[in-house]
Amino acid sequence: MTTVLVLGGAGYIGSHAVKALMAAGHQPIVLDNLSRGHRDAVLCPDFIRADLTDRKSLDGVFAGRRIDAVMHFAALTYVGESVEAPEKYYINNVVGCINLLSAMREAGIDKILFSSSAAVYGNPREVPITEDHPRDPINPYGMTKYIMERVMEDFSAAYGLRFVSLRYFNAAGADPDGELGERHDPETHLIPSVLMAAGGISEQITVFGDDYPTPDGTCVRDYIHITDLIDAHLLALERLNAGGTGGCYNLGSEKGHSVNEVIQAAKAVTGRPITVRIGPRRPGDPPTLVASSRKAREDLGWRPAHTELSDMVQSAWRFMIKRGTVR
């Protein structure tokens, strides 16, 4: 059994990680400031309310517990907000993570799984995107992820930190039990936003641009089911526990789906009409982002099991129905 400190364990991805860790026989401890997470999404008994920017609190967490490894999901993640409020993002995502790494080093903890993003790549020069693609972020959010990857590389060389950085494409869906799912406020992810329009919570869904050089003119993205995403984290943890090397890995389904295809899938799953408004392009939105996840398959033995878009939409809809989010 591995004791894992899960930073951001009250959030969308972190809460799913906690549930999977418990199912695999590990012992998670959740640390979250609850600024954007939900206390009722924390399914393990050991919860600490604290902030990564509070170094004294972090030192106390590590001093009072045996911790074998860390999973770090406690980042701010809204691209648009990062452009408007970069200071907030650099303090939380960079200063907070450096505090964490420093506290880990003093406590003698050398294993961390880091929640990174395809945003480190910026505008793709080739598709599918491999891990060798240049890192050239185009917004502060992506830059904070890039900086922390560089910091971990330096900590690895200087102090022996063993890290795995998992670069997500578009996490989607909910756990099979409908117990956990996306609950962002505001909601910016496409699939729950479309389902909110189907469920009468919002009047319409806005499509930002329909004149891209894609088959139907709308942006194409790679969606990865949340349970497959978390499976990769557990495999990476096993690799580090066994003494294996770390590294950076893309996590995607390797399938591209346009915004229009997501809307059509939501109509099919819900059986409801969805009002669509065409808006202007958003600055910095590449036409197509699709992952190559070959490295994760080869090194980690990762085999995503839910790569169909309809599966992701269906699980998200089931979660929203169960919670009474939609009518």
Side-chain angles (χ1 to χ4, degrees):
M1 179 182 70
T2 302
T3 301
V4 182
L5 180 65
V6 182
L7 288 306
Y12 171 46
I13 298 175
S15 62
H16 284 81
V18 168
K19 183 171 183 175
L21 284 165
M22 291 192 298
H26 300 300
Q27 180 179 347
I29 302 169
V30 169
L31 186 151
D32 200 298
N33 65 9
L34 296 182
S35 63
R36 302 195 175 178
H38 304 276
R39 181 64 181 88
D40 64 338
V42 179
L43 302 183
C44 67
D46 203 342
F47 173 76
I48 306 159
R49 185 167 185 174
D51 195 287
L52 290 181
T53 60
D54 182 351
R55 175 60 192 274
K56 185 176 180 180
S57 292
L58 279 179
D59 288 338
V61 170
F62 287 111
R65 295 168 175 81
R66 184 186 74 85
I67 295 171
D68 301 305
V70 171
M71 289 187 178
H72 179 20
F73 304 99
L76 299 175
T77 60
Y78 295 143
V79 169
E81 182 185 56
S82 79
V83 175
E84 296 170 358
E87 180 182 25
K88 179 192 296 187
Y89 274 67
Y90 284 107
I91 290 173
N92 185 86
N93 293 6
V94 176
V95 175
C97 191
I98 291 174
N99 279 344
L100 170 65
L101 295 179
S102 181
M104 287 174 58
R105 184 168 73 88
E106 291 192 6
I109 300 164
D110 66 349
K111 296 188 289 292
I112 182 170
L113 291 96
F114 178 71
S115 172
S116 191
S117 169
V120 300
Y121 297 120
N123 290 318
R125 304 178 190 180
E126 57 185 27
V127 176
I129 300 170
T130 69
E131 290 82 358
D132 294 330
H133 188 286
R135 289 177 290 180
D136 188 19
I138 59 174
N139 53 66
Y141 165 66
M143 183 61 73
T144 64
K145 295 295 188 179
Y146 169 69
I147 290 171
M148 287 318 305
E149 287 191 350
R150 288 296 303 269
V151 170
M152 290 189 295
E153 290 166 7
D154 290 341
F155 269 56
S156 178
Y159 309 126
L161 178 72
R162 301 169 59 225
F163 75 93
V164 173
S165 182
L166 298 160
R167 296 171 180 166
Y168 311 157
F169 279 64
N170 289 60
D175 82 282
D177 301 326
E179 189 173 20
L180 300 168
E182 297 194 66
R183 296 162 62 186
H184 303 118
D185 184 18
E187 185 56 73
T188 62
H189 290 182
L190 179 62
I191 289 177
S193 295
V194 172
L195 292 176
M196 289 169 68
I201 304 305
S202 56
E203 294 183 358
Q204 61 188 15
I205 182 69
T206 299
V207 175
F208 296 102
D210 63 350
D211 58 349
Y212 285 93
T214 60
D216 64 20
T218 63
C219 287
V220 171
R221 296 291 183 265
D222 185 332
Y223 296 90
I224 176 70
H225 198 288
I226 186 67
T227 57
D228 290 330
L229 189 81
I230 297 305
D231 283 347
H233 288 72
L234 267 63
L235 290 168
L237 177 63
E238 290 176 10
R239 182 179 177 86
L240 293 182
N241 282 343
T245 57
C248 300
Y249 296 94
N250 289 340
L251 297 182
S253 66
E254 301 186 306
K255 297 180 179 180
H257 296 286
S258 72
V259 174
N260 278 339
E261 287 177 321
V262 171
I263 293 170
Q264 294 307 314
K267 288 180 178 178
V269 165
T270 65
R272 301 185 185 188
I274 298 172
T275 301
V276 177
R277 171 185 173 270
I278 304 299
R281 292 187 183 190
R282 292 182 298 195
D285 261 354
T288 302
L289 290 174
V290 178
S292 167
S293 298
R294 179 178 178 180
K295 184 180 177 185
R297 294 197 309 271
E298 292 180 348
D299 288 4
L300 304 179
W302 183 55
R303 299 290 182 270
H306 307 282
T307 59
E308 295 301 320
L309 180 62
S310 59
D311 291 344
M312 302 179 212
V313 174
Q314 179 65 61
S315 65
W317 182 245
R318 184 167 55 246
F319 168 72
M320 295 170 80
I321 292 290
K322 185 173 182 177
R323 282 194 61 81
T325 305
V326 295
R327 298 189 289 270

